[in-house]
Amino acid sequence: MGKLEEMQNGSVIARIARAGAVLVVALSVAGCLLSSGVTISDPIPDEPRPPSGETAIGEREHPRVVAAYGGVYEDSGAERAIARMVGRLVASSDNPSQSYQITILNSPVVNAFALPGGYLYITRGLLALANDSSELAAVISHEMAHVTAKHAIARLKRAEEKALVTEVVATVVDDPKTAQTAIASAELSFAHFSQAQELEADIVGVRTLARAGYDPHAAARFLAAMGRFADVTSAHSGAGKQPDFLSSHPTTPDRITKAKFAARAVSGTDIGVRDRAAYLENVNGMLYGDDPSEGFVRGRSFQHAKLGIAFTAPAGYTMENSSDAVLATDGAGTALRFDGTDIPATMALDDYLRSGWVNGLIENSVRSTSIGGRPAATASAVADGWSFRIAVLRVDKMSYRFIFASKTPTPALDSAFRQTVQSFRLLSDEERLRLKPLRIRVVKTPAGASAAAMAARMRGIDASRRLALFRVLNGLAADEDPETGMQVKLVTD
C-alpha cells in the first residue's frame, strides 16, 4: 500500500530510483551484453545509434512503468534465471537482430508485458509462480513476439483511433443511444484487435520455444497455472467468471487450447528442456507477496510496520494489497477498501465527509466518534445502486479511510463495517520489529509427506487457501501430492 508511505514521506522517488536490476540485452550474431557489464559471449562492437521512433517510445514510457509497479526488483538469482535463457531465445526468434531491455519489476502480481523498442517487463510475482526455465522462457518468447510483430506500435495507433472515435461521437451525436452504440463498437473493435495480437504472440512464442530447445508445452502449462493462481489468490475470485468480451486478452481456456495445438504442431508430448532444478535454485530466497514498504497482508489482517498500523477484516473476507489501497471482499457482494487520504489538520473529520467527495451522502448519518482512542467520523451513502459505509480517522499527521460497499445491504454489512473499523490499532514496537517479508524457500519433500503437510509449513498465507496455493506454486494438480525428494516451493517468513 505504497500511497500511504508516499503521503507520509512526501515522495516515493527514493524507493523508485533504486539501482535497477535491469537486464539490457543487446543481441546480434556477436552475442549478449548485460547492463551490469557482465558479458555473455562477446560484446556488441557496433557504434551507439540514436534511438529509433519505437525505442524513443520505450525510453519515454519506461520510468512510468517502473514507478507504477513498485520500482525495480534486485535479486541476483532472478537475474540469472533470465540470463540463462534469453540469448538462445533471441537467437531463435523471428528477428535475432532485435535488442531487448528486460526489467524485473518489484510487484507481487503475476504479469509480463512489452513496450515498443524491445522493452520487456516481468514481475517477481511471475517468477515466483513459474516452476522451471521453460515456463519463464515461454513468457519471454511471448513478449518478444509482441516486439518482433510490432504489436505495441499497432496497438498504440489503434488506441489513438479509438480515442478519436469516442471524442467525435460524444461531441457530435445528440442521441445518447446512438452515441453509446458507436462508442461500444469502437471499444469492441479495439478489444478484438488486441485479442488477435495475444493469440498470435502465443503461437509465435511456442515456435520460438521449440527452436530454442525448450519444452513448447510450457506455454499452455503456465497459462493454466496463471488461471489457477488467480482463482486462489484474488480477492475478487467470486466475480468475473463470465468471459469479458471487452477484455484486451482472450479468455485463459481459449489461450490454453490454442497453445496446446501450437505445441503439438512443433513437437511430441515430451520434448525440450524444462530445467526445473536450476530454476528453483535461482528463485530460492526471492521476495514473495507484499514489499515491506507497502505493508503486509497476513491472512485477514493488514499490518504496516513503518506506519505502525494494523486492522483485521471479518471471517470469510479475502484480502489483497495494492500500491493504492488494501482491498477485500466476502465473495458475496460486499467489498472493502482501505487507504490513506490527505486531510488538512485544520479540517474536522465530519466536515471532510461533507466536503463533496462522497456521492449520495446521507447527511444525517454523519457522526463524529473515536476509533481506538483516535478522532474519527463515520457516514453512510447510497449511489448507483450501491450502499456505502464510510469511516475516516486521524493518527498524528496521517488520515485513513475505510469504505464498505454492497449492492444488497443487510445487517451483516453494518456488522462487518463496525468489526473492521474497531479492529484498527497501532502496532507495538515489538510487533513492528517482528514483521518480516515473506520469501520463497525451496526444500525437498521428505518421505511420506503429503501436500497438506507441506502446505502447513507455509507462513503468512490464509489457512483456507494454503493447500491450494502450495499446489499451484508447485505445478501440482488439485488432488496431487508431491513425490518423495521432490523440490518444492514454500512461502515462509
Side-chain angles (χ1 to χ4, degrees):
M1 191 171 168
K3 292 294 183 184
L4 295 181
E5 187 176 350
E6 177 181 354
M7 290 164 55
Q8 185 184 56
N9 296 337
S11 172
V12 291
I13 293 175
R15 180 163 62 89
I16 292 170
R18 290 174 295 189
V22 180
L23 306 178
V24 179
V25 185
L27 263 108
S28 69
V29 176
C32 168
L33 180 67
L34 300 185
S35 61
S36 61
V38 179
T39 304
I40 301 175
S41 186
D42 299 318
I44 306 300
D46 296 343
E47 291 294 326
R49 292 171 291 179
S52 66
E54 294 182 28
T55 303
I57 293 172
E59 286 184 355
R60 183 190 70 212
E61 297 300 323
H62 174 75
R64 302 178 190 177
V65 170
V66 171
Y69 279 80
V72 176
Y73 181 63
E74 298 177 14
D75 185 278
S76 59
E79 293 166 31
R80 283 195 302 271
I82 294 175
R84 283 173 61 89
M85 67 189 65
V86 70
R88 60 198 283 187
L89 285 175
V90 177
S92 303
S93 71
D94 287 354
N95 183 6
S97 65
Q98 172 69 51
S99 62
Y100 296 90
Q101 175 170 305
I102 304 179
T103 302
I104 304 172
L105 297 170
N106 186 25
S107 172
V109 303
V110 177
N111 203 359
F113 47 91
L115 290 179
Y119 285 76
L120 307 186
Y121 302 88
I122 297 170
T123 62
R124 60 174 169 82
L126 186 147
L127 294 172
L129 179 60
N131 265 293
D132 56 46
S133 295
S134 69
E135 291 182 359
L136 178 57
V139 173
I140 295 175
S141 62
H142 172 96
E143 299 306 330
M144 286 179 173
H146 278 311
V147 174
T148 57
K150 299 188 181 298
H151 283 165
I153 288 293
R155 190 174 293 182
L156 180 63
K157 291 179 179 177
R158 194 60 174 256
E160 290 172 349
E161 293 173 4
K162 171 193 159 190
L164 179 61
V165 168
T166 302
E167 180 181 354
V168 169
V169 169
T171 302
V172 175
V173 178
D174 289 331
D175 181 4
K177 287 188 177 181
T178 303
Q180 187 175 17
T181 301
I183 292 171
S185 176
E187 291 271 5
L188 190 60
S189 175
F190 178 66
H192 284 170
F193 181 77
S194 299
Q195 289 172 354
Q197 288 180 330
E198 294 300 333
L199 292 173
E200 180 186 355
D202 283 341
I203 294 170
V204 172
V206 166
R207 290 202 302 262
T208 301
L209 268 183
R211 288 197 296 261
Y214 287 105
D215 176 16
H217 297 270
R221 195 165 62 244
F222 191 68
L223 284 169
M226 289 172 62
R228 292 178 62 199
F229 182 82
D231 287 340
V232 170
T233 61
S234 176
H236 310 286
S237 57
K241 296 297 184 182
Q242 298 301 316
D244 179 1
F245 293 104
L246 293 182
S247 171
S248 62
H249 287 63
T251 58
T252 300
D254 187 32
R255 293 183 69 186
I256 293 171
T257 299
K258 288 179 169 60
K260 286 179 178 178
F261 279 128
R264 289 169 188 155
V266 295
S267 73
T269 56
D270 295 303
I271 189 170
V273 172
R274 290 195 179 185
D275 201 21
R276 177 182 170 88
Y279 182 80
L280 293 180
E281 180 182 350
N282 284 328
V283 300
N284 187 27
M286 189 174 68
L287 187 68
Y288 180 87
D290 302 326
D291 185 276
S293 66
E294 296 185 350
F296 301 117
V297 168
R298 295 289 190 265
R300 293 183 289 108
S301 294
F302 173 73
Q303 304 168 42
H304 200 301
K306 191 164 186 177
L307 297 176
I309 61 172
F311 72 88
T312 302
Y317 276 72
T318 302
M319 190 177 290
E320 285 182 1
N321 192 11
S322 72
S323 60
D324 295 323
V326 179
L327 309 172
T329 180
D330 66 350
T334 299
L336 157 67
R337 176 186 175 97
F338 172 81
D339 61 14
T341 185
D342 189 10
I343 303 175
T346 56
M347 177 180 281
L349 295 179
D350 57 342
D351 288 339
Y352 171 71
L353 288 173
R354 296 187 181 97
S355 63
W357 66 274
V358 180
N359 290 329
L361 178 70
I362 301 173
E363 181 67 28
N364 62 8
S365 72
V366 179
R367 298 281 188 277
S368 293
T369 184
S370 66
I371 297 173
R374 306 283 169 173
T378 62
S380 299
V382 176
D384 297 326
W386 287 87
S387 290
F388 298 92
R389 303 292 183 270
I390 305 158
V392 293
L393 67 149
R394 184 176 277 140
V395 179
D396 298 326
K397 296 180 180 180
M398 291 292 294
S399 298
Y400 304 100
R401 295 185 297 196
F402 288 94
I403 303 174
F404 273 75
S406 178
K407 281 280 191 181
T408 54
T410 65
L413 170 63
D414 292 309
S415 175
F417 172 70
R418 287 193 302 270
Q419 182 180 337
T420 304
V421 169
Q422 292 301 327
S423 74
F424 182 92
R425 64 187 181 88
L426 301 184
L427 294 172
S428 68
D429 291 341
E430 183 181 351
E431 287 176 312
R432 294 170 75 163
L433 289 173
R434 205 164 52 229
L435 273 177
K436 302 295 182 184
L438 299 178
R439 296 190 180 276
I440 293 289
R441 303 295 182 191
V442 177
V443 300
K444 284 190 176 181
T445 304
S450 65
M454 297 302 292
R457 296 170 57 179
M458 301 211 296
R459 297 291 178 266
I461 307 297
D462 188 271
S464 65
R465 299 189 292 169
R466 203 173 288 160
L467 177 56
L469 180 62
F470 171 79
R471 283 181 165 135
V472 171
L473 285 178
N474 291 289
L476 299 172
D479 57 353
E480 187 178 2
D481 289 319
E483 297 178 358
T484 298
M486 176 182 175
Q487 287 186 306
V488 293
K489 291 177 285 186
L490 299 179
V491 177
T492 63
D493 53 16

